[in-house]
């Protein structure tokens, strides 16, 4: 079992930056691929970024490519999402998720563990 807790969300102006974190506990974190998803009001949850167990492979949604950076520190059992050049359409609850295996994936259905989410609001 893996427990995930997000932090770092908040209110930021358009064009600004924010970093959200995901602290993991439980079984060995370093063997789990991880990902970030988000859900805006009235919309379905969508993929944002994913990272393999070693951090050597990363994937991004087209909408955040070049603006967001996913990373992880296995020694600290923590994953990060650095968000730059934020836009109002980035406003959402951001969730971190973990897989039981090492390879990163984009599909929500392939993730086994989920955090409770952290709110990110970008004002125009």
């Amino acid at each position: 079992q893996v427990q995930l807790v997000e932090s770092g969300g908040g209110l930021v102006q358009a064009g600004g930056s924010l970093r959200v974190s995901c602290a993991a506990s439980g079984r060995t974190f370093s063997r789990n691929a991880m990902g970030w998803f988000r859900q805006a009001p009235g919309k379905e949850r969508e993929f944002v970024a994913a990272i393999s167990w070693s951090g050597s492979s990363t994937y991004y949604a087209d909408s955040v490519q070049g603006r967001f950076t996913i990373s992880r520190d296995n020694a600290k059992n923590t994953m990060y999402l650095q968000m730059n050049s934020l836009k109002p359409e980035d406003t959402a609850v951001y969730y971190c998720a973990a897989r039981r295996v090492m390879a990163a994936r984009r599909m929500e259905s392939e993730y086994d563990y989920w955090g409770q989410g952290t709110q990110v609001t970008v004002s125009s």
Side-chain angles (χ1 to χ4, degrees):
Q1 192 77 6
V2 175
Q3 292 78 43
L4 305 171
V5 178
E6 302 94 337
S7 62
L11 175 64
V12 62
Q13 288 188 333
S17 297
L18 201 64
R19 188 178 78 162
V20 291
S21 302
C22 174
S25 61
R27 57 173 287 175
T28 305
F29 170 80
S30 62
R31 296 299 185 184
N32 301 97
M34 305 285 292
W36 286 99
F37 292 78
R38 67 186 182 186
Q39 187 167 22
K43 295 187 177 181
E44 294 186 351
R45 189 155 56 185
E46 66 175 2
F47 169 77
V48 175
I51 188 166
S52 63
W53 71 278
S54 66
S56 60
S57 298
T58 57
Y59 307 92
Y60 296 93
D62 290 345
S63 59
V64 307
Q65 181 76 49
R67 299 188 297 122
F68 290 12
T69 302
I70 188 171
S71 62
R72 64 190 295 165
D73 184 339
N74 287 344
K76 295 182 178 179
N77 286 358
T78 303
M79 176 181 65
Y80 306 96
L81 184 67
Q82 177 67 43
M83 302 181 288
N84 299 329
S85 301
L86 281 161
K87 305 175 181 179
E89 51 263 44
D90 294 318
T91 295
V93 176
Y94 282 72
Y95 297 92
C96 73
R99 303 189 72 213
R100 291 194 183 98
V101 296
M102 301 183 199
R105 292 289 185 268
R106 298 172 179 264
M107 295 294 293
E108 179 178 344
S109 60
E110 299 199 66
Y111 285 79
D112 304 293
Y113 307 103
W114 292 86
Q116 294 300 305
T118 186
Q119 177 71 46
V120 172
T121 302
V122 184
S123 63
S124 57

